[in-house]
Amino acid sequence: MKLMLVILLSIFSFQAFTQESLTKDLSFGAFLDSYYAFDFNNPASHEREFTTQPVRHNEFAINLAYIEAILKRDKVRSRLALQYGNSVTKNTAPEPREGATSGPEHNQIFQEAYVGTKIGENTWIDMGIFLGNIGSESWISKDNWTYTRALFLDYVPYYSAGVRLEHKLGPNEAMQIQLLNGWSNMSENNQGKAIGMQYSKSFNEKLTFTYNNFFGDEEVVSSSPRFRGYHDFIFKWLYNDEWQYLWAIDFGHQSQQVNDGVDGWMATALTVRHVLNPEQAMAFRAEYYNDTHQSNVLTNTPNGFHVVGASVNFDQKLDQRAMWRTELRGFHSEDKIYPAEKSKKNRLDGFLVTSLSIWL
């Protein structure tokens, strides 16, 4: 009992000693995104396919909820974010199971968990789990112009595990180099490591260009890892306070599993945002995905994942930290890939989703 009291007193004394110094360096936050979606195909399982946001049909659900602690000091930084939601379950389901300490049940709780240190005036190095660098949109819906993510962003890493070196080249230029376990996996699934890079440049306050890539051995449909490369080009143009444009085009290539050839795929999306007033905005998106060889998206159909899509989104601010969002979105596929009622498959898919979100 005395030992327990000494430990408790020591903890309280340490907290009291460090509270004042940590107040300015440590911040806490939270986010909750609830939604209802109705898929016009009425899938029997209530589970939508080929997008991770939204996942569930005709169901009130949580897309993403997280709590976070962020530390920012002169030479040390860190973010720990614990999460829950349909998008979390969907995105971490493919996590590899290698041994007793891997698999989605062990990893899905972490959105980010990294610690970093400053090793130069403009250079940081971080290690741990962090959000993926590829793509023009965030996992966190409030940070995007549309409620749902563009189609091709559901097939790039939402998260990565490894080490990243971040260097600011100048006032308007920055780069990253990453050494990763692999393509959207926290646990390792082979003996190799992957490399990721990022370069971003702001030409002025309105125009920004970002390039991301990935190179590494990855599995597709067999247990034999083969080399994968991916290139992501993003152009963001804030024309004025009312009209804003976001265009991204991606190219991927994967060594064939059996033969010595290389299969490729490409995807692109254009999003136009129109700010109506300080509380309301709309966004329009057109997109295209062509993975005929099923190098990245497996459909088990003759033409693979060959899809065009479009969406319209409306945002209503309810408060400085609360938003109501509604989106209508549709797709057309070359093959019948979308689940429908009575276990049927359709070429067309469409849904309406509405969301209430709040953050601290």
Side-chain angles (χ1 to χ4, degrees), residues 276-287:
L276 303 172
N277 55 60
E279 284 75 39
Q280 295 176 320
M282 296 188 70
F284 311 88
R285 178 172 56 203
E287 52 191 328

Side-chain angles (χ1 to χ4, degrees), residues 98-115:
E98 302 289 342
T101 56
S102 67
E105 67 274 18
H106 297 285
N107 296 329
Q108 64 184 0
I109 189 174
F110 296 107
Q111 184 184 95
E112 285 195 307
Y114 69 84
V115 61

Side-chain angles (χ1 to χ4, degrees), residues 8-285:
L8 289 173
L9 287 172
S10 299
I11 292 173
F12 290 135
S13 298
F14 177 76
Q15 287 179 329
F17 178 77
T18 59
Q19 185 174 10
E20 184 176 350
S21 63
L22 281 176
T23 300
K24 61 183 179 64
D25 302 323
L26 187 62
S27 61
F28 298 92
F31 176 70
L32 174 60
D33 173 6
S34 62
Y35 76 94
Y36 172 84
F38 188 88
D39 190 305
F40 303 127
N41 279 335
N42 196 25
S45 67
H46 291 264
E47 184 103 351
R48 300 192 62 261
E49 295 294 337
F50 302 107
T51 60
T52 65
Q53 300 185 35
V55 176
R56 304 294 293 175
H57 154 66
N58 194 20
E59 181 175 302
F60 295 97
I62 302 299
N63 179 47
L64 176 65
Y66 70 80
I67 55 174
E68 65 178 358
I70 299 174
L71 177 67
K72 291 184 178 180
R73 310 198 75 170
D74 291 340
K75 294 187 177 181
V76 178
R77 66 183 184 185
S78 179
R79 180 176 185 253
L80 173 63
L82 307 180
Q83 63 183 357
Y84 168 84
N86 289 161
S87 65
V88 177
T89 304
K90 189 76 171 182
N91 283 312
T92 56
E95 270 290 316
R97 296 180 180 275
E98 302 289 342
T101 56
S102 67
E105 67 274 18
H106 297 285
N107 296 329
Q108 64 184 0
I109 189 174
F110 296 107
Q111 184 184 95
E112 285 195 307
Y114 69 84
V115 61
T117 182
K118 195 173 186 179
I119 60 173
E121 185 175 353
N122 297 308
T123 308
W124 286 84
I125 186 168
D126 303 309
M127 180 180 291
I129 299 164
F130 33 83
L131 293 172
N133 66 299
I134 297 175
S136 53
E137 297 171 356
S138 168
W139 191 338
I140 303 162
S141 60
K142 72 177 179 66
D143 296 332
N144 301 328
W145 293 355
T146 56
Y147 175 67
T148 63
R149 283 169 54 110
L151 189 61
F152 66 99
L153 295 178
D154 272 329
Y155 296 99
V156 296
Y158 270 70
Y159 54 85
S160 298
V163 180
R164 66 181 176 190
L165 182 73
E166 185 177 271
H167 179 67
K168 191 173 182 180
L169 299 168
N172 303 311
E173 287 182 284
M175 65 171 293
Q176 284 185 18
I177 299 175
Q178 304 178 352
L179 181 64
L180 309 171
N181 282 342
W183 178 269
S184 197
N185 54 287
M186 299 182 198
S187 299
E188 186 58 274
N189 60 357
N190 57 49
Q191 297 303 315
K193 292 292 179 283
I195 295 174
M197 290 180 280
Q198 181 183 86
Y199 170 78
S200 61
K201 179 178 176 60
S202 297
F203 296 96
N204 50 50
E205 293 181 354
K206 297 183 177 182
L207 183 61
T208 303
F209 167 73
T210 304
Y211 167 70
N212 300 292
N213 64 26
F214 174 95
F215 301 101
D217 286 344
E218 295 301 315
E219 298 176 8
V220 182
V221 294
S222 75
S223 59
S224 175
R226 301 299 298 271
F227 185 76
R228 165 173 293 195
Y230 199 86
H231 307 271
D232 168 46
F233 303 87
I234 305 167
F235 299 87
K236 189 175 185 179
W237 184 28
L238 307 178
Y239 177 66
N240 56 32
D241 292 338
E242 294 183 7
W243 292 97
Q244 300 159 2
Y245 305 89
L246 181 65
W247 178 56
I249 183 166
D250 289 17
F251 301 93
H253 49 91
Q254 175 85 38
S255 298
Q256 294 175 352
Q257 293 291 293
V258 178
N259 302 316
D260 292 329
V262 175
D263 292 329
W265 71 96
M266 68 83 61
T268 186
L270 173 66
T271 306
V272 179
R273 184 172 186 251
H274 181 39
V275 179
L276 303 172
N277 55 60
E279 284 75 39
Q280 295 176 320
M282 296 188 70
F284 311 88
R285 178 172 56 203

Side-chain angles (χ1 to χ4, degrees), residues 248-352:
I249 183 166
D250 289 17
F251 301 93
H253 49 91
Q254 175 85 38
S255 298
Q256 294 175 352
Q257 293 291 293
V258 178
N259 302 316
D260 292 329
V262 175
D263 292 329
W265 71 96
M266 68 83 61
T268 186
L270 173 66
T271 306
V272 179
R273 184 172 186 251
H274 181 39
V275 179
L276 303 172
N277 55 60
E279 284 75 39
Q280 295 176 320
M282 296 188 70
F284 311 88
R285 178 172 56 203
E287 52 191 328
Y288 173 73
Y289 203 113
N290 187 349
D291 185 9
T292 304
H293 302 289
Q294 303 177 57
S295 302
N296 195 38
V297 187
L298 186 62
T299 64
N300 293 313
T301 59
N303 295 292
F305 194 64
H306 193 177
V307 176
V308 295
S311 66
V312 58
N313 184 92
F314 177 77
D315 294 345
Q316 174 67 58
K317 273 191 174 182
L318 305 175
D319 187 79
Q320 285 297 105
R321 296 179 179 272
M323 191 182 301
W324 175 28
R325 315 189 76 178
T326 302
E327 183 174 305
L328 179 65
R329 191 175 183 187
F331 303 106
H332 177 272
S333 169
E334 286 288 309
D335 297 326
K336 294 182 178 181
I337 63 172
Y338 292 107
E341 55 188 349
K342 298 180 181 179
S343 301
K344 294 180 180 179
K345 293 290 183 74
N346 287 346
R347 287 189 177 91
L348 295 175
D349 182 42
F351 64 86
L352 179 68

